[in-house]
């Protein structure tokens, strides 16, 4: 995880809490100096460094999360070279400022549109934009409905898209889409996006390690688990702890069962759209 800044110190901690709740086996974090010396008090299990890994070893790293709390003015870490990330075959999860950097300075520096950069990635990519971040990444989709825009963005970029909103949407490059059918203001509080990014990255890392495939259904499951716990109105840190108990639909994904088939007996609030619709 590459996260945190002097301005947004709590974001890294919340993302780490989300990742820990996913049950992933090992977490490493590149943090600014202001955080690196004290984060062990909250997350003693996390291996901390001041700089992102110089080399992305696929034998040691299944997923990389870039973005929570980096801040616009943050000058300390650039993630591993964005050119290097193109050829890395692990799961890349981009959130918050990671998305803004891709849409702005990275695209300008490489002379590529964000969607084109995503197309060239050789490993799976998950992106978790809110509507403003999505508009910066995919300006050509302005005017489309959220469901249509997310689907078109996923198909054109090759990335799995979690478009956050009152009823968040997850879209896969193959045309599958999921949408939360119910919403709660409790899921939209400051800090919960950081929890979601960490939790999703942890689930994706586990999926990739276990099956070699970071399918979009895992991203949909993460969004659903996060929404269910957020509805209870607890603090972001409490939500991160509650996410670890959201087992039923994660088991459905692991056993290749459609999440929507479990809706009647679990009360899940997710609608699945087939690719042809």
């Amino acid at each position: 995880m590459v996260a945190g800044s002097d301005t947004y110190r709590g974001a890294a901690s919340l993302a780490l809490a989300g990742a820990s709740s996913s049950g992933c086996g090992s977490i490493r974090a590149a943090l600014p100096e202001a955080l690196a010396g004290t984060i062990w008090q909250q997350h003693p299990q996390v291996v901390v460094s001041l700089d992102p890994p110089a080399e992305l070893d696929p034998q040691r790293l299944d997923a990389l999360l870039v973005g929570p709390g980096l801040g616009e003015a943050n000058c300390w870490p650039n993630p591993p070279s964005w050119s290097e990330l193109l050829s890395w075959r692990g799961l890349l999860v981009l959130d918050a400022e990671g998305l803004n950097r891709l849409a702005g300075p990275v695209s300008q520096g490489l002379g590529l549109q964000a969607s084109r950069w995503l197309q060239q990635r050789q490993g799976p990519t998950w992106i978790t934009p809110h509507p403003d971040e999505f508009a910066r990444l995919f300006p050509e989709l302005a005017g489309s409905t959220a469901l249509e825009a997310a689907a078109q963005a996923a198909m054109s970029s090759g990335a799995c898209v979690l478009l956050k909103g009152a009823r968040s949407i997850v879209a896969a490059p193959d045309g599958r889409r999921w949408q939360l059918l119910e919403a709660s203001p409790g899921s939209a509080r400051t800090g919960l996006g950081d929890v979601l990014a960490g939790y999703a990255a942890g689930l994706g890392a586990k999926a990739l390690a276990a099956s070699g495939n970071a399918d979009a259904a895992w991203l949909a499951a993460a969004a659903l688990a996060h929404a269910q716990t957020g509805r209870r109105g607890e603090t972001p840190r409490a939500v991160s702890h509650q996410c670890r108990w959201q087992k039923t639909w994660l088991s459905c994904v692991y056993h290749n069962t459609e999440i929507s088939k479990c809706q009647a007996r679990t009360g899940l609030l997710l609608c699945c759209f087939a690719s042809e619709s």
Side-chain angles (χ1 to χ4, degrees):
M1 181 183 305
V2 180
S5 64
D6 288 346
T7 304
Y8 303 108
R9 298 189 181 196
S13 181
L14 291 170
L16 287 169
S20 297
S21 292
S22 74
C24 63
S26 175
I27 304 173
R28 305 177 67 90
L31 305 174
E33 188 172 0
L35 294 173
T38 58
I39 200 72
W40 64 269
Q41 298 176 39
Q42 297 172 315
H43 304 284
Q45 79 281 13
V46 175
V47 178
V48 178
S49 65
L50 294 178
D51 297 299
E55 182 178 354
L56 298 174
D57 183 353
Q59 299 301 316
R60 297 177 59 86
L61 192 64
D62 296 297
L64 175 66
L65 168 61
V66 178
L70 285 183
E72 294 181 9
N74 181 38
C75 61
W76 69 275
N78 284 308
S81 163
W82 289 84
S83 297
E84 181 184 355
L85 286 175
L86 285 175
S87 59
W88 182 57
R89 295 186 179 275
L91 171 63
L92 175 64
V93 183
L94 295 177
D95 179 62
E97 189 58 25
L99 295 169
N100 290 333
R101 292 189 184 188
L102 176 59
V106 172
S107 295
Q108 295 167 10
L110 296 178
L112 291 172
Q113 289 185 333
S115 58
R116 181 62 177 160
W117 187 91
L118 292 168
Q119 286 174 8
Q120 294 184 11
R121 271 270 299 150
Q122 294 183 27
T125 307
W126 292 358
I127 61 175
T128 60
H130 59 56
D132 287 344
E133 291 164 344
F134 184 89
R136 287 189 283 271
L137 288 167
F138 304 102
E140 68 277 9
L141 297 179
S144 300
T145 66
L147 194 60
E148 293 171 346
Q152 291 178 31
M155 288 187 284
S156 65
S157 68
C160 297
V161 177
L162 167 52
L163 178 53
K164 294 181 286 193
R167 291 174 177 79
S168 295
I169 297 162
V170 174
D174 62 8
R176 287 173 298 156
R177 292 167 290 170
W178 298 262
Q179 184 172 30
L180 294 173
L181 295 182
E182 294 186 13
S184 168
S187 299
R189 289 166 291 151
T190 300
L192 286 183
D194 304 312
V195 173
L196 174 57
Y199 185 66
L203 285 185
K206 290 173 62 178
L208 194 62
S211 66
N213 180 22
D215 190 83
W218 287 101
L219 183 56
L224 178 58
H226 176 269
Q228 290 282 66
T229 54
R231 293 172 69 212
R232 298 171 185 168
E234 298 172 335
T235 65
R237 186 166 295 279
V239 168
S240 71
H241 290 305
Q242 289 293 325
C243 279
R244 72 183 63 194
W245 305 115
Q246 308 301 313
K247 301 293 188 183
T248 304
W249 46 86
L250 300 184
S251 176
C252 292
V253 176
Y254 183 80
H255 292 291
N256 232 6
T257 303
E258 289 183 17
I259 301 175
S260 56
K261 289 182 179 178
C262 300
Q263 184 167 353
R265 67 185 165 87
T266 64
L268 304 190
L269 307 176
L270 196 69
C271 180
C272 181
F273 296 86
S275 58
E276 61 266 20
S277 61

